[in-house]
Amino acid sequence: MADDDLMSDDEQLDVPNNIKHITSIRLGQVDIDCWFDSPYINVEDGSNEKDRSIEKLYICEYCLRYFLNNRKYRQHMNECNRRYPPGRKIYEHPDGLSVYEVDGTTSQLYCQCLCLLAKLFLERKTIYFDVNPFLFYVLVESDKRIKNVQHIIGYFSKEKLSDEFYNLACLMVLPHRQRQGFGRFLIALSYELTKLEKKTGSPEKPLSALGQMTYKSYWHSTILSKLDEYHRLQIHVTVTELSMETGICIEDVVQTLIDLRLAHTKNSTNEINFKQPEVRNRRRHHHHHQCDNNLDVSSVLIIDVDALRTALNNLSTSNLSSKHNQNAFDSTYLRLISRR
């Protein structure tokens, strides 16, 4: 994007012929060191073509337009009339967190710039310009001093139609906002949207090392909390029901139970039973699932109650010493989404 020209939302970026190394960016009032290269285009500063290094790129945190020149960046900031993402607000918490759903087709330029920004901090990201098939969920925080101003924290994207039932394609939290629970917030939102669609989902794979760690943490705590609820209410459920109630696909549910060493099974994994023979638990029936009364022993997933208690205690201890509950997603503040 040329630093002299203002591009409208109906314009789009072209695929670049070369990539320059960008050392750092200025995003709003924050300087951030870049981790990886990103194919920003038309940021030539008159330097020799062989010089592929840019010391600092200036990015408007509201429209994501970018500049090499600090003077032009400041001029743009005085003229830019955007103070929050395009799209519609689908989440608004009284503490100041909001989420906007941005369509890659209707806000193509913004979404392309968002992908370019994300590539500075994501090694495996490969899609920057073909944003039409995606929805972007941009997490922002309201400025505590200036009304109607919101600062970007991160985002996740998802395909509008996914044959593989992926509910998240890419997730990025800006480096200076990491380790504050925002990655977990976005993951929880992705599953809440999946549940509203009456589906289950899984993130696009392979996951990065950081992504795998964040997802495992979310899966562990979410499934453990549900199992604790079932056990306290003396309820038996199928794995399918656990999957539908959490939005987590069956494969990820089963793998999580195995990873936590809570369950074992010989063949299929249809029903969850708690390993506590002296307690006669009732079955709970859901109108949208048929419970199979003909399951043999080999098809039953056995949950070790003692192991469950140990895992829950470990989770509670971990949560006390971490920031899992900081900036937690609260579905109460998710606005009704009628279009799906």
Side-chain angles (χ1 to χ4, degrees), residues 4 61 73:
D4 289 328
E61 65 173 324
Y73 165 71

Side-chain angles (χ1 to χ4, degrees), residues 17 40 108 184:
N17 294 323
Y40 280 94
Q108 190 177 66
R184 185 182 181 85

Side-chain angles (χ1 to χ4, degrees), residues 16-120:
N17 294 323
N18 56 66
I19 299 177
K20 281 181 174 284
H21 173 71
I22 301 170
T23 303
S24 67
I25 62 171
R26 164 67 63 89
L27 184 69
Q29 301 299 315
V30 182
D31 290 324
I32 308 173
D33 291 335
C34 301
W35 299 352
F36 306 102
D37 291 336
S38 181
Y40 280 94
I41 64 173
N42 294 336
V43 289
E44 305 298 335
D45 58 354
S47 60
N48 190 296
E49 180 62 25
K50 294 181 180 179
D51 180 10
R52 300 191 179 274
S53 178
I54 296 173
E55 191 63 30
K56 180 170 291 187
L57 191 67
Y58 299 86
I59 303 176
C60 173
E61 65 173 324
Y62 307 120
C63 71
L64 304 183
R65 193 172 167 228
Y66 50 89
F67 306 83
L68 270 177
N69 186 287
N70 186 33
R71 178 182 60 81
K72 292 179 179 179
Y73 165 71
R74 290 181 177 275
Q75 179 182 342
H76 167 79
M77 293 305 296
N78 290 330
E79 298 172 352
C80 184
N81 57 10
R82 185 175 294 284
R83 290 295 179 267
Y84 45 84
R88 64 192 186 113
K89 188 186 294 185
I90 66 165
Y91 182 92
E92 185 174 23
H93 194 282
D95 288 346
L97 292 180
S98 298
V99 177
Y100 290 80
E101 181 186 71
V102 187
D103 193 313
T105 301
T106 57
S107 299
Q108 190 177 66
L109 179 61
Y110 178 89
C111 295
Q112 288 175 333
C113 290
L114 182 60
C115 290
L116 290 173
L117 174 63
K119 182 62 184 78
L120 293 171

